[in-house]
Amino acid sequence: MYLTPEEKAMLAGDFGPGVKRAMEIIVALGKIYGAQELVPVQSVQVAGVSYKNLGDAGLEFLHEWAGQGAQVRVPTTLNPAGMDLTHWRELGISEEFARKQMAVIEAFKAMGIVPSCSCTPYLTGNLPAFGQHIAWSESSAVSFANSVLGARTNREGGPSALAAAITGRTARYGLHLDENRRATHIIEVRCPVTSEADFGALGYLVGKRVKNGVPYFKGLSRSQLAPAGSPDPAAGQRIWRSTASFCDLLGPGDRGQGILKALGAAMAASGAVALYHVEGVTPEARAGDVVATEAETVVIDSLDEGYAALNSPIDQIDLVSIGCPHASLVEIEEVARWLEGKRVKAKLWITTARETRERAQEKGLVERIEAAGGRVVADTCLVVAPIEELGLRSMATNSAKAAFYAPTHSGLEVRFGKLEQCLEAAVTGRWPG
Ligand code: F3S
């Protein structure tokens, strides 16, 4: 594999032991996957942040690397942590967990990483441009960056993303190469798909079928992805205007963005889809022919199987989770509007990025949701927080990804459906029949 003189110096240890260790990881991966060279990355997003997943071994590993003087070279953000970093007590997180979680965050900060703990970095400033090479690790964010933004990243593991941040490089293989970005499956959608939950159910079915393939969706009309109602000019203008012409289709509202993140997150959960195309919508599908000649056609004419697989036959709901992937300002606004004049009986958590929470607070949305008894929780989510310690047994969610993981990761029985059904369940404490 070709290395530049600077890369060779990193590998030789001229930049210190922390950089040497990072370059060893990058080069080892490059060799395993047959890369010819490395490629500079513009940004990094690191997963493996929750102490629930890292444990003491992971914490020690991070401390050791930080202690070797490793510093990131490119803008780097973090995936959700195991708790809201400021309001963890109110959520019932134990002192012991919080102490360990903060030690994890301190190790990342020592390496120069911004502790913005979110799986939607593209909503809060870490927004790659079309064609840019990046190294992200959260699967739903990887899917969004590759598919919706047209950036290029493999699904990195936590250590390999960190190594990319420290060296500013990743090995050029997989989705960094044109030939691996062509669709392996044509997905013909022949049933109505309207809500975020429908897109999640669709994603669940497609992910199961194509595994780590690249699906190309036909039959999803632009009108399904076009913005409807509740525009979010502040977020929309900042985010979408700076990217490819894809935003011209979606406009400043974020209905399209919300359903595409739900679709991608579900496919990454039930399969390992890191890139998808939507005919006439996503940037590479609009730029030219992206379907491989040998692509297999899959017909989806019903979402029932997806809904059935993601639902347990439970009535009582202890917790309602909205915001997987992390909620946008528009989604928080929708919840606040629906809750007006109501009071929740079950716990209601809307999980989001800290920056989005701050914007929601400025708009008075957090206050409105809290007045109804709900919470807008920053930095974490139901899957990576130690929910099993909070004595909860059942959950309702509009996220197929959360519904897929919550039973195994958090020991919860799950109801999965539309946002309105979930909010109804929050108010009554029962899943609407
Ligand atoms: Fe994000 Fe947690 Fe869902 S990391 S995509 S909110 S499982």
Side-chain angles (χ1 to χ4, degrees):
M1 183 168 45
Y2 170 77
L3 295 181
T4 64
E6 188 187 28
E7 289 160 359
K8 281 185 186 155
M10 288 185 194
L11 192 59
D14 297 0
F15 290 78
V19 177
K20 177 176 163 59
R21 174 190 260 195
M23 187 52 93
E24 282 169 353
I25 292 173
I26 299 290
V27 168
L29 281 170
K31 284 184 178 162
I32 289 168
Y33 290 103
Q36 303 287 308
E37 60 181 353
L38 308 187
V39 60
V41 292
Q42 304 302 316
S43 78
V44 171
Q45 192 257 357
V46 178
V49 178
S50 171
Y51 175 69
K52 171 177 164 174
N53 300 331
L54 282 170
D56 287 331
L59 174 56
E60 199 173 313
F61 173 78
L62 288 173
H63 268 302
E64 194 185 304
W65 211 347
Q68 289 175 326
Q71 286 288 312
V72 299
R73 291 183 157 221
V74 294
T76 303
T77 56
L78 296 178
N79 219 29
M83 62 186 199
D84 186 311
L85 299 182
T86 54
H87 294 107
W88 53 269
R89 266 199 191 85
E90 292 98 299
L91 300 179
I93 303 290
S94 70
E95 295 271 351
E96 171 69 1
F97 184 92
R99 197 169 52 75
K100 300 274 191 175
Q101 183 62 74
M102 290 315 295
V104 170
I105 297 296
E106 288 310 317
F108 281 125
K109 276 166 77 175
M111 291 188 237
I113 298 176
V114 182
S116 68
C117 299
S118 177
C119 50
T120 56
Y122 46 87
L123 295 180
T124 54
N126 187 354
L127 186 73
F130 182 86
Q132 253 179 10
H133 295 275
I134 58 176
W136 287 17
S137 43
E138 155 55 33
S139 65
S140 67
V142 164
S143 171
F144 195 92
N146 274 320
S147 315
V148 182
L149 303 177
R152 295 181 171 221
T153 177
N154 290 315
R155 183 176 168 177
E156 300 288 347
S160 69
L162 200 45
I166 292 164
T167 58
R169 314 282 202 285
T170 191
R172 195 191 283 271
Y173 69 93
L175 294 177
H176 292 284
L177 302 171
D178 288 345
E179 60 266 32
N180 297 323
R181 299 181 68 89
R182 296 181 72 73
T184 57
H185 294 74
I186 297 170
I187 313 295
E188 289 196 10
V189 182
R190 296 187 189 158
C191 56
V193 187
T194 55
S195 63
E196 281 88 348
D198 281 354
F199 276 86
L202 173 65
Y204 169 83
L205 293 173
V206 173
K208 258 182 68 179
R209 181 66 189 265
V210 311
K211 300 189 172 61
N212 64 352
V214 179
Y216 178 90
F217 287 90
K218 286 178 122 170
L220 294 179
S221 70
R222 286 184 188 185
S223 61
Q224 283 169 298
L225 298 162
S230 43
D232 175 8
Q237 284 168 17
R238 188 155 68 89
I239 291 161
W240 293 113
R241 282 215 181 136
S242 57
T243 56
S245 54
F246 171 69
C247 30
D248 299 340
L249 284 174
L250 296 182
D254 77 351
R255 173 166 159 71
Q257 165 200 295
I259 57 188
L260 289 172
K261 79 180 159 75
L263 176 69
M267 288 191 289
S270 66
V273 174
L275 165 66
Y276 65 92
H277 304 291
V278 182
E279 184 178 43
V281 173
T282 51
E284 284 169 60
R286 293 175 68 217
D289 178 20
V290 287
V291 182
T293 40
E294 68 283 6
E296 183 190 330
T297 296
V298 176
V299 174
I300 303 284
D301 50 18
S302 166
L303 303 178
D304 292 352
E305 198 190 313
Y307 275 103
L310 295 169
N311 269 282
S312 306
I314 48 160
D315 267 348
Q316 193 191 315
I317 301 297
D318 296 339
L319 169 73
V320 173
S321 164
I322 308 297
C324 170
H326 272 172
S328 67
L329 195 58
V330 167
E331 289 165 322
I332 296 173
E333 197 158 25
E334 213 174 330
V335 174
R337 208 174 24 245
W338 195 95
L339 287 174
E340 209 64 65
K342 301 188 178 80
R343 182 87 202 153
V344 298
K345 204 166 179 180
K347 280 184 191 291
L348 169 64
W349 284 17
I350 297 105
T351 47
T352 191
R354 179 157 296 277
E355 188 184 318
T356 307
R357 190 187 190 281
E358 282 164 7
R359 298 212 317 267
Q361 195 152 25
E362 282 162 19
K363 293 184 82 176
L365 303 175
V366 173
E367 203 181 352
R368 283 163 61 189
I369 290 168
E370 286 182 352
R375 283 195 166 278
V376 181
V377 178
D379 310 319
T380 189
C381 79
L382 268 294
V383 173
V384 297
I387 292 295
E388 56 284 358
E389 293 175 13
L390 306 185
L392 303 166
R393 297 178 56 187
S394 57
M395 175 180 106
T397 182
N398 64 342
S399 161
K401 176 173 178 177
F404 182 81
Y405 282 125
T408 47
H409 282 54
S410 306
L412 296 169
E413 291 198 279
V414 176
R415 278 289 188 177
F416 162 66
K418 296 180 180 27
L419 176 67
E420 299 73 24
Q421 290 175 292
C422 294
L423 294 176
E424 187 71 46
V427 168
T428 63
R430 307 201 83 80
W431 186 247

